[in-house]
Amino acid sequence: MKKMISLIIFISLLIVTSCDESFSPYGKFEQKYSLNCIVQADTNLQIATVFKSYPLNSNTTVQNRNNSFVHNAFIRIWQGNDHVVILKDTTENSDTSNSGFLKNYYFTKNLHLKADDSLEIDVILPNGIRLKSKTKVPANVLTDYDKTTKIIPPKNGNVVTFVWKALDPGEVYIPTLRLFYQKNVGGQLISKKTVIPWKYIQRNGKEVGINKPPSSVPLVKFSMDNIENVLKSISKGDNNKENYLIVSLLLELKVLDRNLSKYYFTTGRLFNDYTVKLDVQDLTNIDGGFGIFGSLNKQEIAILFDEAYLTIFGYRSAF
């Protein structure tokens, strides 16, 4: 959740900055406001931020930026027609790597979402200005089991494939594959998990694993070589391989709604270092201001291991 808080604040600051760049020292400064809220279907904790724009002035820019968060806003999120929650204002101390930067945000721990939920956010600022927006939680995708690998290793080829049926062509998917296993430590089974890289790249002379970039294509493939590299690595330096019980491979699939999908596809932010900065004001879906109100759903697809295959590594199946 800390990553999601940082993500929302990051998007907020981008939008505030883009407002600043439209400021002209020869014209009258116009105050603008940004609302950013990314709600998730796998948690009750939901986060929102509200910032105000500020004029670019070399003498006061840092001070203005630190004071750009809008406190004492009245924020409600409606879930359908029957449920409404009010978000609270809070301030959190960041780690020292951010030079003591304070993370200000609004939150609620009482909003549990489901697929296809219709949501509306309504914000009343202390000065009476109102910001509003709507979103819909993405529907649950349907796994295409006829085309998805059923067991590890696959019967044909050297690739593990996950396929699902796209219900909305405008949605973006973020897949992350993890290996779940248990280690026997003094008679106690300790549950562990680790990410299976989608691809390995060279970075600063070292081989680094990366996840698959967000995509609207409803499938993802992983090389068995990458899976076997991780299987070997979990017991590296440990001669007692029989202490390792393998549970499964689990694909975590995050499904982004149209609002978030459009933002990510247009800006390329958070996904690569080569995208030219765009004016994110154009991507707003906030009535009365700027920003993003979006939602994401998360699903999981599991694949089990063949017991005989695991014995090659000296491991056992957890089942």
Side-chain angles (χ1 to χ4, degrees):
M1 182 52 64
K2 287 185 178 180
K3 290 183 178 179
M4 183 55 65
I5 294 172
S6 298
L7 171 60
I8 296 172
I9 293 175
F10 177 74
I11 295 175
S12 303
L13 292 176
L14 286 179
I15 294 175
V16 170
T17 301
S18 71
C19 292
D20 298 341
E21 291 173 348
S22 65
F23 171 71
S24 168
Y26 302 103
K28 183 179 179 180
F29 171 70
E30 181 182 356
Q31 186 79 76
K32 300 177 182 178
Y33 297 89
S34 71
L35 164 65
N36 295 281
C37 180
I38 301 172
V39 293
Q40 304 177 85
D42 64 325
T43 177
N44 291 344
L45 176 60
Q46 312 298 347
I47 303 293
T49 61
V50 183
F51 286 89
K52 60 184 177 182
S53 61
Y54 51 87
L56 289 177
N57 183 308
S58 60
N59 296 323
T60 61
T61 296
V62 174
Q63 180 180 355
N64 287 338
R65 181 182 61 195
N66 291 338
N67 295 327
S68 62
F69 183 82
V70 179
H71 292 278
N72 301 316
F74 182 55
I75 302 181
R76 294 174 293 178
I77 297 180
W78 293 86
Q79 182 181 22
N81 298 319
D82 304 322
H83 184 56
V84 61
V85 296
I86 298 175
L87 278 66
K88 299 178 181 179
D89 188 348
T90 190
T91 299
E92 173 185 297
N93 286 308
S94 71
D95 55 54
T96 55
S97 63
N98 285 327
S99 302
F101 178 70
L102 296 178
K103 294 178 180 178
N104 298 295
Y105 56 90
Y106 293 86
F107 75 98
T108 178
K109 295 182 179 180
N110 300 312
L111 184 59
H112 182 68
L113 306 176
K114 306 182 299 297
D116 292 316
D117 272 350
S118 295
L119 305 170
E120 181 174 354
I121 190 167
D122 183 17
V123 179
I124 301 177
L125 303 181
N127 59 8
I129 290 179
R130 198 165 202 160
L131 309 175
K132 299 180 69 175
S133 186
K134 296 181 179 180
T135 187
K136 185 177 182 180
V137 178
N140 289 329
V141 301
L142 303 175
T143 304
D144 190 336
Y145 289 104
D146 291 334
K147 298 178 181 179
T148 295
T149 302
K150 296 176 176 58
I151 196 166
I152 306 295
K155 293 182 178 180
N156 300 308
N158 193 43
V159 174
V160 173
T161 303
F162 295 86
V163 183
W164 55 92
K165 298 178 181 179
L167 300 179
D168 185 341
E171 292 176 341
V172 167
Y173 311 102
I174 305 178
T176 303
L177 185 62
R178 290 184 173 87
L179 171 68
F180 284 76
Y181 64 100
Q182 297 173 327
K183 182 180 179 181
N184 189 329
V185 180
Q188 182 179 3
L189 290 178
I190 308 299
S191 296
K192 295 177 177 290
K193 61 183 177 180
T194 186
V195 173
I196 305 287
W198 170 70
K199 183 179 179 181
Y200 286 95
I201 62 171
Q202 289 293 322
R203 181 178 295 165
N204 299 324
K206 296 182 179 180
E207 190 174 63
V208 179
I210 61 171
N211 288 331
K212 187 179 186 299
S215 169
S216 60
V217 179
L219 69 86
V220 61
K221 297 182 178 182
F222 293 86
S223 166
M224 275 299 298
D225 292 337
N226 293 352
I227 294 173
E228 291 183 355
N229 285 340
V230 173
L231 280 170
K232 294 174 182 177
S233 70
I234 63 173
S235 64
K236 187 176 181 179
D238 187 349
N239 294 324
N240 299 314
K241 309 296 185 183
E242 69 278 2
N243 286 334
Y244 294 82
L245 284 73
I246 306 302
V247 179
S248 69
L249 284 181
L250 196 68
L251 183 75
E252 177 189 273
L253 186 64
K254 292 183 178 179
V255 185
L256 281 59
D257 73 352
R258 283 177 170 265
N259 299 331
L260 291 179
S261 297
K262 182 179 179 181
Y263 177 85
Y264 288 135
F265 263 150
T266 305
T267 66
R269 297 241 174 230
L270 305 181
F271 304 132
N272 66 72
D273 298 324
Y274 305 102
T275 305
V276 177
K277 180 181 177 182
L278 300 178
D279 187 350
V280 288
Q281 295 183 51
D282 296 336
L283 302 177
T284 182
N285 69 329
I286 305 298
D287 294 335
F290 299 103
I292 302 292
F293 179 47
S295 59
L296 63 87
N297 197 356
K298 188 174 80 171
Q299 293 178 247
E300 296 174 338
I301 305 173
I303 299 181
L304 299 179
F305 285 86
D306 178 74
E307 288 188 54
Y309 170 73
L310 293 177
T311 61
I312 298 175
F313 305 90
Y315 303 149
R316 296 178 293 154
S317 171
F319 298 99

